Amino acid sequence: MLKVIIVVGARPNFMKAAPLVEAMKRRKQEFAPLLVHTGQHYDQMMSDVFLKDLDLPRPDVSLEVGSDSPVAQTAAVMQKFEPIVANEEPDWVVVVGDVNSTLAGALTAVELGVKVAHVEAGLRSRDRSMPEEINRLLTDQIADLLFTPSEDANENLLAEGIPRQRILLVGNVMIDSLNKYLEKAQSSTIRTILGLGDSEYAVVTLHRPSNVDNRETLSGIIGALGEIANRIPVVFPVHPRTKKTIAEFGLTEKVAAIPNLKIIEPLGYLDFLALYSNARLVLTDSGGIQEETTVLGIPCLTLRENTERPITVTAGTNVIVGTSPDKITKAAITCLESPLKITPRQIPFWDGHTADRILDALVAAGSA
Ligand code: UD1
C-alpha cells in the first residue's frame, strides 16, 4: 500500500489531480491518497466549483495560504505543508503542473526526504520571465519521477541532464478529465444563459502577468478583441487578476462599452468546457486550453510570444500570434474567413488513461 499526498493549489491543478485521486480511490488495495489544497486559489469560482464539477472529494488538508507576493506565497505553502508531510510520512508527494504550489510542494517534500513525482514534467517555453517556467525547471530538477505528456518534454529533460530512468512518457492527464466530462458538459445551459443560442462565437481567456499587468499590452489586446467582436460575439470570462488590473488601469468602462464583447465571471469546469468546445475560435494565454482545443479540434490563437506546448502547434490547431493588436486581429479574421476544417487531433497517450499509467509507475517504483 502506497501512501500518497497529492498537492493542489490553483485552478489548473484540479483537472490534473482529479483523475489521479479517482484512480487511487478505485485502486484502494494499492493506494492511500491524501488530498492537500494549498489555498493559492480560494474564490468559489476559482476553486470550490472545480472540486464539485470534477467530483473531487473535500481536501483532507487545507493550508489556506491565500494570495500574496509569489515569494511570500511559496514560502507560506512550504511552512504550512512541512508539518503535514512530517506527520503523515507519505511514500510519495505528487505535484502537478507549474504553479507556485507545485514548486512549494515539491521542495518541501524533498527537504524532508520524501520522494516527489511531477506530473506534466518537461514542458519548456524557454521564457524565464514566466514564473511558471521557473517553477517547471526547478520542480523537474528535484523530482524523483518525471511524468511527461509528450516526446518533446522527454527531450527537454534529457538535454538538462535528468537521468533517463526518472522520465516516463505517460500522456496528458488533463485529457483524462476532458474525455470523462465532455458529454456531461453538453447539458450545461451556459450558452442559453449567455444568449448565444446556436450562433457562432469566440471565447477569450487572459491572465498571464505579461499580458494583463501592463497597461499598454492589456489595452492593445482589448482593442483587438473589440475589432474581432465586430465580426463575431466574443465571450470573455475574466480571471480575478485581470479584473483587478482592468480596474486599476481605468479600463473597466471602456471594456464594458465594447459591443458584442460579453464580459462574465470565471466559469466552472463544466460550463467552460461546454462553452469552448462549441466555439468557432478560442483566443487565450492559458497553457491547458491550447491542449484541450487541440484534442477537440477547435482553432486556438495563443496570445503569447512562445509556448511550452509546441505539440499543439505542430498538430495544426494552435497558432502563436503574440500580443500585437494588429496580428491578433488579422489572425482571427483569417481564421474566421477560412472554412472550418480542423478535426480533433490524436496525440499519442492523450487517451484518457494517463492516470492509471502514472499509478502503475508509482507501484513499480515502490515505497520509501
Ligand atoms: C496562477 C498560476 C498560473 C495559472 C493561473 C490559473 C503561478 C505563478 N501562477 O496565476 O500559472 O495559469 O493561476 O488561474 O502559480 N485571486 C483572487 N481569487 C483567487 C485567486 C487569486 O482574487 O481565488 C487574485 C488575487 O488578487 C491574486 C491574483 O488573483 O493576487 C493572482 O493570483 P495568483 O494565484 O498569484 O496567480 P494567478 O494569476 O491566478
Side-chain angles (χ1 to χ4, degrees), residues 50-344:
F50 286 84
L51 300 178
K52 183 172 158 282
D53 281 1
L54 292 154
D55 301 307
L56 270 162
R58 180 183 291 277
D60 299 288
V61 180
S62 294
L63 304 180
E64 296 180 359
V65 298
S67 294
D68 210 328
S69 72
V71 172
Q73 189 175 61
T74 307
V77 172
M78 291 186 69
Q79 269 186 335
K80 291 188 161 184
F81 190 40
E82 179 177 18
I84 310 296
V85 179
N87 288 338
E88 296 290 343
E89 298 182 347
D91 297 298
W92 288 93
V93 167
V94 174
V95 295
V96 299
D98 55 15
V99 302
N100 291 340
S101 299
T102 308
L103 174 62
L107 194 47
T108 308
V110 167
E111 291 289 354
L112 295 176
V114 173
K115 288 190 293 188
V116 171
H118 183 206
V119 176
E120 198 188 86
L123 298 183
R124 296 290 181 268
S125 66
R126 303 200 162 68
D127 174 359
R128 291 199 179 192
S129 68
M130 276 180 88
E132 294 81 4
E133 182 75 354
I134 305 302
N135 292 338
R136 290 189 280 261
L137 278 161
L138 298 180
T139 304
D140 286 343
Q141 279 298 323
I142 58 177
D144 297 274
L145 263 182
L146 296 104
F147 294 118
T148 60
S150 46
E151 190 55 47
D152 55 294
N154 286 44
E155 287 162 18
N156 291 335
L157 295 170
L158 290 170
E160 287 168 18
I162 310 268
R164 190 178 292 275
Q165 62 272 21
R166 287 195 200 160
I167 307 168
L168 189 65
L169 174 54
V170 292
N172 192 329
V173 77
M174 202 182 56
I175 304 306
D176 290 16
S177 287
L178 179 63
N179 287 356
K180 181 172 173 191
Y181 291 102
L182 184 59
E183 199 184 312
K184 184 175 181 191
Q186 301 314 319
S187 55
S188 152
T189 52
I190 188 67
R191 282 176 294 157
T192 315
I193 291 169
L194 293 173
L196 294 165
D198 290 331
S199 57
E200 293 197 323
Y201 58 90
V203 174
V204 56
T205 79
L206 280 180
H207 72 282
R208 295 275 160 224
S210 58
N211 281 342
V212 306
D213 289 3
N214 177 292
R215 189 183 198 284
E216 205 182 325
T217 310
L218 182 57
S219 179
I221 294 175
I222 288 168
L225 296 180
E227 293 291 324
I228 299 164
N230 283 330
R231 298 184 171 243
I232 187 169
V234 177
V235 185
F236 184 7
V238 181
H239 187 283
R241 173 190 283 274
T242 311
K243 185 176 182 180
K244 206 162 88 179
T245 55
I246 286 177
E248 276 169 17
F249 298 149
L251 296 169
T252 308
E253 281 173 19
K254 180 181 162 189
V255 173
I258 298 175
N260 248 353
L261 179 65
K262 292 179 191 289
I263 303 293
I264 60 172
E265 292 296 313
L267 293 173
Y269 184 75
L270 293 172
D271 282 341
F272 189 62
L273 176 51
L275 190 66
Y276 76 78
S277 64
N278 290 290
R280 176 70 172 84
L281 168 69
V282 170
L283 301 104
T284 189
D285 60 9
S286 151
I289 295 171
Q290 297 172 50
E291 299 178 328
E292 291 164 329
T293 48
T294 295
V295 170
L296 295 174
I298 309 287
C300 176
L301 302 180
T302 294
L303 310 189
R304 288 171 44 190
E305 304 299 337
N306 50 55
T307 181
E308 60 288 330
R309 290 156 161 101
I311 199 164
T312 60
V313 177
T314 48
T317 54
N318 184 21
V319 182
I320 307 299
V321 292
T323 55
S324 125
D326 237 34
K327 283 191 184 154
I328 296 171
T329 311
K330 278 193 189 127
I333 290 172
T334 305
C335 180
L336 292 175
E337 285 179 352
S338 58
L340 184 60
K341 262 197 320 224
I342 297 184
T343 49

